[in-house]
Amino acid sequence: MSLRPVGIIGSGKYVPDRVLTNQELEHMVETNDEWIVSRTGIRERRIVSPEQASSDLAYEASLRALEMAGISAEQLDLIVVATITPDMAFPSTACILQNKLSAKKAAAYDLSAACSGFIYGLANASNFIATGMYQYALVVGAECLSKITDYTDRNTCILFGDGAGAVVIGVVPEGRGFKSFELGADGSGGELLKVAGGGSRCPSSAQSIEAKQHFIYMAGSEVFKFAVRIMGNAAEEALRKADMQKSDIDLLVPHQANIRIVQSALNRLELSEDKCMINLHKYGNVSAASIPIALAEAVEQGRLNEGDCLVMVGFGGGLTWGASVVIW
């Protein structure tokens, strides 16, 4: 079977209006703006209103992606939502989004790979189109991390924000589109970054709430060491699979977790900062939404031209990682 070339034909993002600055965090926990910026590069993050959920953010981002792609929601065959903050355990956030969009013929499901989720979702959905099973798919990263963040924990509350990014993928001209994917996982590191409460291992209870098991736990230094190593590894492996070199990269869109991790990846790939999309100073770490938000902003800013080599790379809880090489 010959596979059809598949690529991104539309992108969009949405972030909530509420801005949480480092200065505000100074009044919530023992921290300060200089400390946060020097260690993470983050200056502010967006926070949802109490009534907003991940599907609401996903909906707004999806409308923008569909408009850019020039297709209607009714033409979608598949909706994949990457999230670790679903509206609820079930139905899936993707099914809730399908209903909001009136995408009546689309299959829909959620995907959980934390901050790597968007790349996992792209790899997954693109195969349906490459084989001819589907024509159009919507892949979304959407998170309301503020709802699982402990704002008394100064190690984590400075990092996370809310938002959504979406892309429409479909058949593209020969020579364009996705050239490779590199996905991986190391479940032995699962305990380093987790939300323990609310699942079948530790059901919700008064005790689990009291123990703060419904908030993000992160062993920061261990996750940092893993990220520094894996970001470069994953990007290099994706390039190797695509038969391309570091020097071919026109734009790197990394997961926006920490400026020092991004800079480490740039050094490994021998890239200058002007070849990297960085917006973590505005949004912080938005998990599965980080890469698609950054991608949508890069498109808005005209930083991608036809024929450019785009590399997306991320890491996350699981532990997981993912990278992709795309010819725009």
Side-chain angles (χ1 to χ4, degrees):
M1 177 195 295
S2 62
L3 299 177
R4 304 188 298 177
V6 182
I8 294 166
I9 60 173
S11 61
K13 78 175 201 296
Y14 175 78
V15 292
D17 294 332
R18 163 90 165 94
V19 176
L20 177 61
T21 66
N22 291 347
Q23 286 74 19
E24 288 177 85
L25 286 170
E26 289 177 1
H27 300 291
M28 298 163 66
V29 290
E30 189 182 335
T31 191
N32 62 73
D33 176 66
E34 183 188 2
W35 190 90
I36 297 170
V37 173
S38 65
R39 283 160 179 77
T40 70
I42 300 166
R43 296 185 180 276
E44 57 189 41
R45 61 292 290 149
R46 298 300 181 97
I47 305 295
V48 291
S49 59
E51 65 273 10
Q52 282 181 309
S54 291
S55 68
D56 300 316
L57 310 187
Y59 174 73
E60 297 294 340
S62 298
L63 290 180
R64 291 158 173 77
L66 287 164
E67 182 180 7
M68 181 179 287
I71 70 164
S72 66
E74 289 79 7
Q75 291 174 270
L76 291 172
D77 301 294
L78 176 66
I79 298 172
V80 180
V81 175
T83 185
I84 53 169
T85 52
D87 285 27
M88 57 193 77
F90 67 90
S92 70
T93 302
C95 282
I96 296 169
L97 176 61
Q98 185 232 37
N99 182 54
K100 287 177 184 285
L101 291 170
S102 297
K104 298 186 186 305
K105 75 168 185 172
Y109 57 87
D110 286 358
L111 190 154
S112 178
C115 309
S116 311
F118 179 70
I119 303 293
Y120 268 65
L122 286 178
N124 195 282
S126 64
N127 286 324
F128 286 103
I129 298 169
T131 60
M133 182 173 174
Y134 292 148
Q135 288 295 117
Y136 297 110
L138 176 69
V139 181
V140 186
E143 303 286 12
C144 291
L145 295 178
S146 64
K147 302 207 176 191
I148 58 169
T149 295
D150 178 2
Y151 285 96
T152 66
D153 177 6
R154 68 174 187 166
N155 294 314
T156 56
C157 73
I158 64 173
L159 300 173
F160 301 109
D162 304 331
V167 298
V168 176
I169 63 174
V171 176
V172 294
E174 203 67 45
R176 301 287 168 81
F178 300 113
K179 293 302 175 185
S180 68
F181 286 99
E182 167 65 11
L183 305 177
D186 178 6
S188 70
E191 292 295 308
L192 299 176
L193 183 52
K194 65 181 181 179
V195 173
S200 60
R201 176 71 62 194
C202 177
S204 302
S205 65
Q207 290 77 17
S208 71
I209 293 170
E210 188 178 349
K212 297 189 173 183
Q213 290 180 307
H214 299 268
F215 292 131
I216 298 168
Y217 164 80
M218 182 172 70
S221 62
E222 294 303 311
V223 172
F224 180 85
K225 285 185 278 189
F226 161 76
V228 166
R229 174 176 58 84
I230 210 65
M231 287 273 276
N233 285 359
E236 286 184 338
E237 185 59 19
L239 285 166
R240 186 192 65 79
K241 288 180 176 179
D243 196 23
M244 300 183 79
Q245 310 299 318
K246 298 174 186 178
S247 57
D248 293 320
I249 300 173
D250 292 299
L251 186 67
L252 178 73
V253 178
H255 171 46
Q256 309 283 312
N258 181 304
I259 193 63
R260 292 186 294 166
I261 295 171
V262 172
Q263 287 167 343
S264 173
L266 288 174
N267 291 337
R268 177 78 171 268
L269 296 170
E270 299 169 17
L271 291 176
S272 56
E273 204 166 283
D274 65 332
K275 287 198 170 186
C276 184
M277 182 63 203
I278 301 173
N279 63 4
L280 61 84
H281 56 289
K282 296 191 293 183
Y283 306 125
N285 182 343
V286 202
S287 189
S290 275
I291 292 175
I293 288 174
L295 175 63
E297 267 196 6
V299 173
E300 288 170 7
Q301 294 171 12
R303 295 188 62 179
L304 278 165
N305 301 305
E306 207 170 291
D308 278 357
C309 175
L310 163 70
V311 174
M312 297 178 285
V313 61
F315 67 93
L319 296 166
T320 59
W321 59 89
S324 180
V325 175
V326 187
I327 301 301
W328 198 252

